Structures are given as C-alpha cells and as structure tokens.
Amino acid sequence: MQTPVLNFELFRYQNSKMSLADDLVVVEEPLQIILQYGPEAARQEHTLTLTMRTPGHDFELAIGFLLSEGVIDSPAQILKVWHCEQPKDPAEGENVLKVALTPELSFEIGDLQRNFYSSASCGVCGKTAIDKVIACAGVLAFGAAALQIEILTHLEHAFSERQSLFRHTGGIHAAALFSTSGKLLILREDIGRHNALDKLIGALSAMPEIDRSRTILFLSGRVGYELVQKSIMAQLPVIAALGAPSSLAVSLARRHQQTLVGFLKRERFNVYSGAERFVSSLEGC
C-alpha cells in the first residue's frame, strides 16, 4: 500500500540561520481510471481519465468521481472496483484503477473522455507526461551568484501589494516572476493556479529581454507536480511558494536541479531542492 506522506531532508531557514532538517511531504501520484462497460457479449475497456491524487481511498475517489460527473446515477451500477493486477509497468499497479459497470448501462465513451481530459484540475497528468518533461528539459541554468535570503523573504510583501484581485475577492491565485534582485517583472491572477502560471508563461514568451536564469517564480499556494512541470518547461530555475510542495513536485525539482522553496514567510522557509544556490548562507551547515 502506498503511503500518503514521505519524509524529505531539506534546509530550513529560521531564526536567521539555515540548517538541515526533515519534513513530511504529502505524496502526489497519478491515478488512471479505466472503465469496463457494455453488454456481457461485447465488453469494452477504455481509460476514462487521469488525475493526480494523494494515494488512499482510491475506490471512494473513483466512485465519487463517477457519481459527481453523472457517469452513473447510483453505486448499484458498479459491479466491481479494483487496482489493476497486471499493469504495463509493475511499479504503477496501485496507480491504475479499474471500474466494471453493469451491462445495461450505456454511454458514449468518446464524449466522456473529451470532457474529463479537458476539465481535469491538474492539467497534463500521468507517467507519460512526467517522462516527457524529463526528456525535454535538462538541468536548469541559474545566472546569479547566489540567492539572497533577504530578497526572498521580502517577496511576499512585494507580491501582496500588487495582487489586486485577491485584495478585492480573497478567492484567486497568482503567479509572479521576480528578478533575483527582487524586482517584480510579471504578475498574473486567475481562479486556477495552473491558469495563473500559464498566463505568466504566455506573457514571458513575449519578453525575450528577460534573462530567465536570473528569475524567481513566486506562487500563491501549494506546489503540485504540474506547476513544477510547467516552470521547468519554461526554464525557470527557482520557485518560491507560500504553500507546501507535494512529493512529486520535490522529486521533479531535484531531478532538474531547480530550487524549490515552500512555506515562505518573512522569518522562515523550507528549501526542498536546489539549496546549493544559497551558497553564502550554507557555509558551516
């Protein structure tokens, strides 16, 4: 059984000092939901959706998804739910879930797949997408001599001063790009975390004068795998976030030597990946 949390060694900045520490990080893994349906003489099997989740209560997740999306009207229309016994990749066994529906239930699988792939909250999901990021992006270049703690801990103030929609509504996410000297370069807001980052990356694409190797991406919430994936593809070497990262986010950032900072406040933060960029601050740790 997969664990819902993993322990990561990290660097913690607190009380004006950087030191080694451990922290529990919530696990993030892709879940593929495969439907078996059709009359008994002609059963079919197709992937309905891919989503990122914390392992645990997978059966409830799948049943709730089918009910809330109107695929089924009642749990009685489900014959069986189980983790795939023979996945193509043995390591993915607990990440592949099959749901067998009653023979009399009929629907158009193509319509369902189009709806769910486009509306999935996490954007591009699954092991294939992760492998593509690994193949397309290498180690991220960093142009500054070192990250300055004083600049990092003041980003929240500079960020909140400019986050106008959040001040008025309290219900929106934001992504901001700062220079390593602390200058705000771009800020975009959206009700979706992924949309806010996509807007920022779109704006950045029209600004070739910005040296991406000398930037810090600031995020208003938690950091899931998909936000790290997008930032790596955009060649952004540093993420600083107000919230927590997931296990997959940390692993992906470490693979590409991206600096990943979480729980950022004025007096403290955690460095989950790329702590070597705080060169002057790590002496003696």
Side-chain angles (χ1 to χ4, degrees):
M1 179 179 292
Q2 292 170 304
T3 176
V5 295
L6 291 175
N7 188 66
F8 280 87
E9 186 177 78
L10 50 82
F11 284 92
R12 177 167 292 143
Y13 175 76
Q14 192 170 15
N15 300 323
S16 301
K17 181 182 178 182
M18 191 83 83
S19 58
L20 278 170
D22 291 307
D23 192 37
L24 289 177
V25 177
V26 67
V27 170
E28 182 181 35
E29 289 284 343
L31 180 68
Q32 179 183 16
I33 299 177
I34 299 174
L35 285 188
Q36 284 188 357
Y37 64 97
E40 292 183 3
R43 296 289 279 176
Q44 298 185 59
E45 188 173 280
H46 289 282
T47 294
L48 177 65
T49 190
L50 291 162
T51 188
M52 304 301 288
R53 99 296 189 199
T54 296
H57 305 289
D58 287 345
F59 290 11
E60 294 174 1
L61 187 157
I63 294 168
F65 179 83
L66 295 177
L67 287 167
S68 65
E69 294 291 342
V71 178
I72 60 174
D73 299 319
S74 165
Q77 293 174 313
I78 297 175
L79 293 176
K80 180 182 178 183
V81 183
W82 72 103
H83 284 111
C84 184
E85 295 96 345
Q86 295 180 321
K88 293 180 180 179
D89 182 349
E92 294 296 307
E94 293 188 43
N95 290 338
V96 180
L97 194 69
K98 292 191 176 185
V99 182
L101 303 180
T102 54
E104 62 272 12
L105 188 63
S106 62
F107 51 80
E108 178 52 55
I109 190 67
D111 291 341
L112 291 175
Q113 288 173 324
R114 281 191 292 272
N115 290 339
F116 298 144
Y117 279 121
S118 63
S119 66
S121 63
C122 59
V124 180
C125 302
K127 187 175 184 298
T128 300
I130 297 169
D131 290 342
K132 183 177 180 181
V133 175
I134 292 170
C136 291
V139 172
L140 297 180
F142 185 63
L147 278 170
Q148 301 300 314
I149 287 176
E150 296 76 14
I151 289 173
L152 201 65
T153 53
H154 281 81
L155 290 185
E156 181 185 1
H157 178 68
F159 175 79
S160 59
E161 280 190 331
R162 294 287 298 275
Q163 201 185 352
S164 58
L165 288 178
F166 181 81
R167 280 202 307 275
H168 288 96
T169 67
I172 201 160
H173 288 285
L177 194 68
F178 289 87
S179 69
T180 48
S181 63
K183 179 183 177 182
L184 179 61
L185 304 172
I186 307 171
L187 188 147
R188 294 292 182 269
E189 295 176 291
D190 195 278
I191 197 168
R193 292 175 298 120
H194 321 92
N195 295 342
L197 180 53
D198 283 339
K199 289 177 179 179
L200 183 149
I201 293 171
L204 180 61
S205 68
M207 299 178 181
E209 69 276 9
I210 293 179
D211 181 355
R212 301 186 186 198
S213 73
R214 293 176 177 268
T215 61
I216 301 169
L217 174 62
F218 188 94
L219 300 174
S220 63
R222 68 175 183 83
V223 187
Y225 143 76
E226 70 284 353
L227 295 181
V228 172
Q229 167 239 315
K230 290 175 183 290
S231 65
I232 288 173
M233 297 300 285
Q235 294 293 295
L236 301 177
V238 181
I239 294 179
L242 295 179
S246 70
S247 64
L248 200 54
V250 174
S251 297
L252 193 59
R254 288 183 175 184
R255 182 156 192 160
H256 294 277
Q257 294 181 24
Q258 181 184 54
T259 296
L260 178 56
V261 173
F263 294 110
L264 179 62
K265 297 181 180 179
R266 286 202 175 190
E267 69 278 5
R268 67 178 297 274
F269 56 81
N270 291 343
V271 185
Y272 294 88
S273 173
E276 66 274 5
R277 290 182 176 136
F278 294 90
V279 177
S280 60
S281 304
L282 294 178
E283 293 176 0
C285 286

